[in-house]
Amino acid sequence: MSDIIQLLPDHVANQIAAGEVVQRPASVVKELLENAIDAKATRIQLLVKDAGKTLVQVIDNGFGMSVTDARLSFERHATSKIASAEDLFQLNTKGFRGEALASIAAIAHVEMKTKREADELGTLLKIEGSEVTAQEPIVTPVGTSIAVKNLFFNIPARRNFLKSDQVEMRHVIDEFQRVALAHPSITFTLHHNGNTLFNLPNANYRQRIVGVLGSKANEKLVPVNEETEIVKISGFVLKPEFAKKSRGEQFIFVNDRYIKNSYLNHAITAAFEGLLRERTHPGYFLFLEVDPKTIDINIHPTKTEIKFDNEHDLYAIIKSTVKHSLGQFQIAPILDFQRDPNLDTPYSYQSKNIGTPTIEVDSNFNPFANEKPKGTSSSGNYGGSSYSKKSTEGWESLYVGLESKMTGNLEQSNIVEVESEEVTGSFFEDKEVTQNHITLQIQNKYIISKIKSGMMVINQGRAHERILFEEFLQHITINEAVSQQLLFPVTLSVSPQELSLLSTIREVLESTGFIFSKLEDETVEISGVPAAIGNQEVGIIISDLLTAVVNETEIENELHTHIVAKSLAKSLAIKSGKALSTAEQEDLVNRLFACKEPTISPTNKSVFITYNTTDFDKKLL
């Protein structure tokens, strides 16, 4: 029997490795940016076309490479960062596996231009599917420029799994922001299809965060600083009132490397206990510096997961540090049970001398000095005051017209009695009508309605969501939404990414009744809203809408209407706990069954369940 185990060809092995390293265009962005940082670049440009599917190009002014290094960099496991296994536990650089460029070159067309400062000419290298097609000397600036074109050109199946341009570009921006936040001393620029999305100059941590999130982010930041033998913590947390329903603004960096760690995330959230609204998450930008010997980075191909030797100690330190910062900057109350605030000296008296209080007594004071003496007289004086009896002449005039007034009052009282009888009659009629109602609300959450076969239990919140969802879809389709003009326009501050997203769905929002008078310079001014929205709800609804759009796994142009309608319906639907009158209950039931899909909510959850009378018979046997 012949042998069946064989070695894989190099191009197949590279494609398999690429599946671990390169999952989407954002993966290429991450690897190329980290290589530029390791080359000690001070200025890095990222150029993207079609969300990275057509082109991802990174241009830096770093050290550059020689002709030999340029060629070796595309070989598997070729790296300048490590020489022995012990070096894996002393890593201070980004890329060290030596897999990135080889994996990228196996599934794309790669063109690299590089030049060292000491060389007169640079090197041009072209690779297609791991095969070198050209290598020649060229004139190029000092540094390296790598252009990755037509990603997954030789693996159509992988290319088909890529999402829409908007989703892929969101992942590219996420990777760009993570690298840019960790290295504020480097100038970063991002261009997509010829448009400049980010231009981040050399700055400190606070300025870099403001550059990424927008100018309004500066007032949201609370500094965090602590240094211990285990870890040095610096960075910022966002004030609790700016917590969001998504986790988009949560960044933890360890030795200038972005990581994902749910355990440390929980430590930060625990420090905000009692300060956050329900179902919201805090925002933070924390930078940790630890000894490289105490962490293991080499446990995941993307190097975003790190194993700590002393994770429990880090948890306690981070939680205490964040809680201390919130208290120090008067975000959270500080409790000191040993101090009595009543004993604190007022600020205005702190510099005054303490004197002994004195008591002064007026010896000449007589409380009875001004009292008038009481006189006793039988001729009209009573208790010291004169009393004169009034004349009783003409007393008959007091009764003139009294009989007519009494008659009139009696007539009016008879009229009142007749009216009360009429009102009482209508009251009994109303009571008789209410006995014919066929709905009942239970625990201000469910509506029970009578049907021929038994009864139906309706979730009032999901039912209202379905009703509003179809109404908004209809408004968007026929563009006949009712809009109410605001007396004072509502102004919202958004990040550049949120502003770009709002610009994309602006037309759909205007079809639902929103009117935007300004949409630029990180500012959104809304002068009109749908009739069902109040002024105070505009900011929350727009924030929830952006969160819903960002969190969608698939965003296509034809689905924008569904995403907007679903988000608005969820925000405006009545919630559990709201009491409804009988008329409101019946109106909700009637409108629900006028919908096209009354059985499920916009989030694909059941709206109602039915019970047959036979079910009750079985239970009551």
Side-chain angles (χ1 to χ4, degrees), residues 307-320:
K307 184 178 180 181
F308 295 92
D309 288 347
N310 46 7
E311 202 169 38
H312 294 289
D313 296 337
L314 279 176
Y315 183 97
I317 293 173
I318 292 175
K319 180 180 177 181
S320 301

Side-chain angles (χ1 to χ4, degrees), residues 378-389:
S378 60
S379 62
N381 289 335
Y382 181 77
S385 60
S386 60
Y387 169 75
S388 60
K389 186 176 181 180

Side-chain angles (χ1 to χ4, degrees), residues 292-303:
K293 296 180 181 179
T294 62
I295 59 176
D296 184 6
I297 307 172
N298 192 29
I299 61 173
H300 194 274
T302 60
K303 300 183 289 290

Side-chain angles (χ1 to χ4, degrees), residues 123-161:
T123 303
L124 170 64
L125 200 63
K126 294 183 179 181
I127 301 177
E128 296 180 4
S130 297
E131 295 183 4
V132 179
T133 59
Q135 179 177 343
E136 57 188 31
I138 60 166
V139 177
T140 184
V142 175
T144 303
S145 171
I146 301 181
V148 179
K149 305 175 182 178
N150 304 321
L151 193 64
F152 300 125
F153 80 99
N154 53 353
I155 313 179
R158 290 290 303 276
R159 191 177 183 89
N160 292 336
F161 276 99

Side-chain angles (χ1 to χ4, degrees), residues 261-298:
N261 191 301
S262 58
Y263 188 63
L264 298 185
N265 288 342
H266 186 274
I268 302 171
T269 305
F272 280 85
E273 184 178 2
L275 301 176
L276 300 176
R277 301 188 305 272
E278 187 178 1
R279 296 181 181 178
T280 58
H281 307 282
Y284 48 81
F285 305 83
L286 294 186
F287 303 87
L288 312 182
E289 294 182 20
V290 299
D291 187 351
K293 296 180 181 179
T294 62
I295 59 176
D296 184 6
I297 307 172
N298 192 29

